[in-house]
Amino acid sequence: MPFGVFEYDGKVQLGIAIGAEIVDLNVCHKIGLFEHLDIPNVFLNDCLNDFIGLGKQTTNKVRMIIQKELCDQNGLLRQNSQDVLVNQGVVKLKLPIKIGNYTDFYSSKFHAENIGKLFRDPNNPLLPNWTKIPIAYHGRASSIVVSGTEVKRPKGQLIEGGELVYKSTGKLDYELEFAAVIGKENQLGEPVDINNAEEYIFGFCLFNDWSARDIQSWEYKPLGPFTGKNFASTISPWVVTIEALDDCKVPFHRQNDVLGYLKKDNDFSFDITLEVYLNETLVVKNNFKTLYWSVSQQIAHHTVSGCNLKIGDLLASGTISGKDELEKGCLMEKTYGGTRSFKLLNGDERIYLEDNDVVCLKAFAEVNGYKIGFGKAEGKIIANND
């Protein structure tokens, strides 16, 4: 039962997805479903931030009330179902959160090794610091868009035939990622203890960190990604709370060679299947649990300097990859740096993305015979004719 924001009949409001329908939380508040919680109507908003700010105790109660009401055929929700339930097919899904800051990590060891082997010693692909700290860069929050938004092919500086040119990227790539939505703030100067990090996670959504590899390769030294990344990132419109994923938790591998602030007893990951479709061809299938760095470690390291997180901040995982071909989470890995093409179901060959290509990220977790879905993060590439 994920939370999101939708536009219907000229109004923008908060909702919970349930199958093909949306529970209108604004209407639920009006008919008194949350009366005993004594909370303001934060449901007629254009983002989840104020709702998240009510705190986990309240947001979890809202989710449980809706769950109970949906199972009660004689309850208030069912009595008012004509007003409460809205078909997803007639609404416009919006960006679910107001994102003040976005950080992109580099947490998959398989991905880091695969990329390292392309550009460094294949027998020693990782930089010395990679297994010591969760590497990350600060991305551009203003260009994060909701699923369904078209992505214009970016232009920039790149090297072509040994010459520096200005043109549209010819090496446009997707990156399969998962993002944590921050649900609690820490004060400036006060790091988050790793054992308390889970309190700061509201939930998760899908994330596609679009990348222009030729622009990126020219600009990234010495300070890292810039215009090759800042033109667009796509997220799914629904945020699944961390509490809803309790049954998906799996033990996290223990790292003995990290400093104490990154060590957590009983750290965890999640058994969540991740997929990428390119023009309806399945090109990636792997699992969130393969990440080397946990979300708790990401938060602990992000704040170790005293950096203050804000409600609605996004912490993306970085490309999630595995050891097998179908588990490689971006085209740079899949095509070995652009040296090998592969075929789609319709027979077309690809190295990098072409105009009119559609990339769709999906995810699901299976628990006790039922599935938890995360919606999709989809984008279509359009030409840049400017």
Side-chain angles (χ1 to χ4, degrees), residues 100-101 182-186 308-314:
N101 290 284
I182 296 299
K184 182 180 177 180
E185 301 182 356
N186 63 304
N308 53 325
L309 299 177
K310 296 289 186 180
I311 289 173
D313 284 357
L314 273 186

Side-chain angles (χ1 to χ4, degrees), residues 176-178 205-206 236 240 272-277 286 288 360-366 371-377:
L176 171 60
E177 304 194 22
F178 217 57
C205 60
L206 285 160
S236 52
V240 178
I272 299 172
T273 299
L274 308 167
E275 298 176 332
V276 178
Y277 292 83
N286 55 30
F288 182 81
C360 182
L361 277 58
K362 297 181 180 180
F364 63 89
E366 294 187 87
K371 280 189 177 183
I372 298 174
F374 291 80
K376 61 183 181 181

